[in-house]
Amino acid sequence: MSQLEIKSNYQPSALRSDCANCFALCCVALPFAASADFAFHKDGGTPCRNLQQDYRCSIHTKLREDGCNGCVTYECFGAGQKVSQTIFNGIDWRSAPESAPSMYAVFPIVQQLHEMLYYLADALSREALRDLHADLQAVFSETEQLTELPVDQLIRLDVPIHRAKVNELLLRASERIRSNVTALRDPKRQPKKRPGAGADLIGANFRNTDLRGMNFRGALLLGADLRQADLREADMIGADLRAAKLCGADLRGSLFLTQAQLNVASGDANTRLPHHLTRPAHWNAEKK
């Protein structure tokens, strides 16, 4: 991901899910309720009914069709393999059931820390933020060190306090990047409904609009029409893109966009993506 040097023991792949090296922790540790995102209820610490003995999902190729869109949306940012292979040394919860409660408690904490590392790595990769590089690197290293704490300390970690520190820096980075492109927007392609952090933009029509450098942090973009929209350098952190239409949209350079956000949207071969993200397979099968 990075153009600038990131001082870290992590490889870029460490911040992406690697299910082959995880003991299906998201399918066991986390609870979910029957809803539009899940076809049934499951308690935390209880294996999903679709989980097989080899820790693979029996409906993985048809999660969306079987009403488990929430599984497609979820991203552990590599916390699964970190907890499974490093923190618990490759010993799974079936072989050592006495370790299961601690493993389940640690997993969501490491997931949050890895998510912060992903966003910090995104910011560190940007040449325009070179003057913030030292601050970003310091917080990245601090976050990385937290993932190395002993299990008992990880469980007691006050994640919201650390997240607030990370978020303050990410906001500075976002404002710096976005301010550089504001003047470049095409006045003839400005949206009628202005986006903003946390905005309710469900079903909004942004087709063929110039959204460069705009703030979609935490925005509700469910079913929004973003076809042929220019989203370069837009802040997408936490934006809900379920069923959003991204055909022909330009997302190159968008800030803090994740693979999970793309997985729940619809797009096509003309959707331009950041180089570190992958075009979802189901986009090729959908009618545009």
Side-chain angles (χ1 to χ4, degrees):
M1 178 185 288
S2 181
Q3 296 170 359
L4 301 177
E5 180 184 1
I6 300 176
K7 297 177 182 178
S8 169
N9 294 323
Y10 278 64
Q11 298 298 319
S13 60
L15 299 176
R16 295 196 296 266
S17 299
D18 180 5
C19 297
N21 285 300
C22 174
F23 302 136
L25 294 179
C26 63
C27 306
V28 184
L30 305 180
F32 54 76
S35 62
D37 290 324
F38 294 100
F40 54 92
H41 173 88
K42 187 190 85 64
D43 293 325
T46 303
C48 174
R49 68 190 189 191
N50 295 312
L51 184 64
Q52 302 176 127
Q53 286 297 311
D54 62 358
Y55 296 116
R56 295 181 181 274
C57 174
S58 63
I59 63 166
H60 180 72
T61 58
K62 54 176 184 172
L63 284 167
R64 299 167 75 245
E65 295 89 335
D66 284 10
C68 291
N69 207 46
C71 298
V72 180
T73 309
Y74 182 76
E75 171 60 60
C76 79
F77 297 99
Q81 64 261 30
K82 171 76 173 187
V83 173
S84 298
Q85 302 299 332
T86 303
I87 296 177
F88 285 87
N89 300 310
I91 301 174
D92 66 273
W93 47 269
R94 285 196 178 112
S95 301
E98 69 281 359
S99 69
S102 295
M103 189 179 293
Y104 301 159
V106 163
F107 172 62
I109 294 170
V110 176
Q111 188 274 341
Q112 292 178 74
L113 294 173
H114 271 224
E115 181 180 10
M116 294 179 220
L117 287 171
Y118 176 89
Y119 295 139
L120 289 165
D122 185 333
L124 278 165
S125 73
R126 301 187 182 255
E127 187 68 33
L129 296 175
R130 181 174 286 276
D131 61 333
L132 287 179
H133 192 271
D135 291 342
L136 289 164
Q137 180 63 65
V139 176
F140 186 98
S141 297
E142 180 183 352
T143 306
E144 186 177 14
Q145 288 167 13
L146 292 176
T147 70
E148 305 294 336
L149 289 173
V151 169
D152 60 334
Q153 293 183 41
L154 267 173
I155 292 173
R156 296 196 303 269
L157 183 65
D158 193 331
V159 177
I161 287 180
H162 186 68
R163 183 181 288 278
K165 178 190 291 188
V166 172
N167 192 51
E168 179 182 1
L169 190 54
L170 294 178
L171 280 169
R172 286 171 56 196
S174 173
E175 290 167 0
R176 182 76 56 82
I177 290 286
R178 292 186 295 107
S179 65
N180 291 338
V181 299
T182 299
L184 301 177
R185 294 190 198 124
D186 183 348
K188 296 180 180 179
R189 296 177 62 206
Q190 294 294 298
K192 294 180 180 179
K193 187 171 184 179
R194 298 286 294 182
D200 183 348
L201 301 169
I202 296 174
N205 182 10
F206 290 124
R207 186 169 187 174
N208 197 34
T209 54
D210 190 340
L211 303 169
R212 282 180 289 178
M214 290 195 176
N215 189 359
F216 289 101
R217 293 175 67 92
L220 299 176
L221 286 161
L222 285 80
D225 190 346
L226 293 159
R227 288 176 290 179
Q228 289 82 47
D230 192 339
L231 288 154
R232 286 176 290 173
E233 280 72 47
D235 189 335
M236 304 300 292
I237 195 168
D240 192 336
L241 292 173
R242 283 177 291 173
K245 302 176 182 67
L246 296 173
C247 298
D250 192 345
L251 290 152
R252 293 174 297 173
S254 56
L255 288 158
F256 313 129
L257 185 69
T258 70
Q259 188 65 50
Q261 287 172 299
L262 296 177
N263 290 346
V264 295
S266 62
D268 62 8
N270 296 316
T271 306
R272 284 162 286 185
L273 302 176
H275 66 87
H276 63 282
L277 297 177
T278 303
R279 197 175 311 277
H282 69 265
W283 284 10
N284 298 324
E286 291 176 339
K287 293 182 180 179
K288 309 303 185 286

